[in-house]
Amino acid sequence: WGYSSLRVLTLDAGGSHLLSAGESEWIVLPLNGGCTVLVDGEIFELRGRNGVFDGVSDFVYVPRDAHAQIASGAGP
C-alpha cells in the first residue's frame, strides 16, 4: 500500500478527518457506509454502500493542492 499511496480511514459516528492533497490527487471512495466530503468549499454527500462486495460506490475526486474534510454521521 505504501507504493500506491492507498489509505484506509475508519471514522466513528460523528468523526471527521482533514486531508491536504499537496502534490497528489486523491479519490475518496467509501468501502463501507457513506460520508460527507467538503472539498475547497463544495459539499459532496456520498451514499456509499453496505460493504465492499455490495456493488459500485460513489466517490469524490480531490485535486492537487486542495483541502478536504471527510465526515461520517453514522460511522462504519
Side-chain angles (χ1 to χ4, degrees), residues 21-46:
E23 294 182 0
S24 298
E25 298 172 295
W26 294 89
I27 297 276
V28 177
L29 183 131
L31 298 177
N32 182 25
C35 62
T36 302
V37 183
L38 174 65
V39 180
D40 288 340
E42 192 168 351
I43 297 172
F44 299 91
E45 293 286 339
L46 300 181

